[in-house]
Amino acid sequence: MSAMKNDLLRFDGTRLRDPAIEAWFKEHPGELGSLAQRWFEVMRKCGDEVRELLHDGCPVACLGDVPFGYVNAFRAHVNVGFFQGASLRDPGHLLQGTGKFMRHVKLKPGAAIDDKALGELIEAAYADIKSRVEHGWPMR
């Protein structure tokens, strides 16, 4: 039996609530900031072990020190991203990107959002990372 690979991305400095993230939201007012904050709050509520930090200029949600999701605001849209998004089931066909691991959902102000499908993706991303941390990598 081959050894399980356990090389998950990990970040130093995660906190229960990072003041840098609150500052980030204040720097992103309006519809885009509200969209980002709304979906980051969903990530924050995934479990007791959720920690956060500002990484590469955007809010990142982690299970302990292992990231599972992020939000970022651009000029005309918000990305809700997933560090292991390529392995997530996406019945709502929301995920975009072609990277080896990461995927994102692009949200535009005024455009319809499938709240249920995006909420389920966030929950799945958290559950996936939790399983990887507890049982080893890779899952699926």
Side-chain angles (χ1 to χ4, degrees):
M1 186 159 109
S2 65
M4 293 273 243
K5 185 177 178 184
N6 203 9
D7 295 335
L8 291 170
L9 178 63
R10 294 181 182 271
F11 292 135
D12 290 329
T14 63
R15 304 169 79 169
L16 183 59
R17 288 290 179 268
D18 187 342
I21 290 178
E22 297 313 315
W24 187 93
F25 285 124
K26 286 179 182 174
E27 293 170 7
H28 294 83
E31 265 187 295
L32 293 172
S34 292
L35 269 176
Q37 189 165 13
R38 173 184 174 197
W39 292 105
F40 197 74
E41 287 299 325
V42 173
M43 291 179 193
R44 283 175 162 166
K45 293 177 183 173
C46 282
D48 293 341
E49 307 95 347
V50 174
R51 301 294 180 264
E52 60 190 43
L53 79 159
L54 200 66
H55 177 75
D56 282 346
C58 63
V60 174
C62 302
L63 171 75
D65 64 350
V66 180
F68 67 91
Y70 70 91
V71 296
N72 203 358
F74 299 91
R75 282 186 345 162
H77 72 279
V78 168
N79 281 354
V80 177
F82 306 98
F83 285 81
Q84 297 293 328
S87 65
L88 296 177
R89 290 185 190 90
D90 180 22
H93 306 288
L94 300 177
L95 292 173
Q96 297 180 17
T98 58
K100 186 173 180 181
F101 300 108
M102 296 181 77
R103 296 287 186 277
H104 65 275
V105 176
K106 188 180 288 189
L107 305 176
K108 294 182 180 182
I113 300 169
D114 187 339
D115 289 356
K116 184 176 186 288
L118 183 51
E120 288 172 353
L121 273 175
I122 292 170
E123 290 171 11
Y126 175 77
D128 176 69
I129 286 298
K130 187 169 184 142
S131 182
R132 289 172 191 262
V133 167
E134 293 175 354
H135 304 291
W137 159 280
M139 301 303 294
R140 293 194 183 109

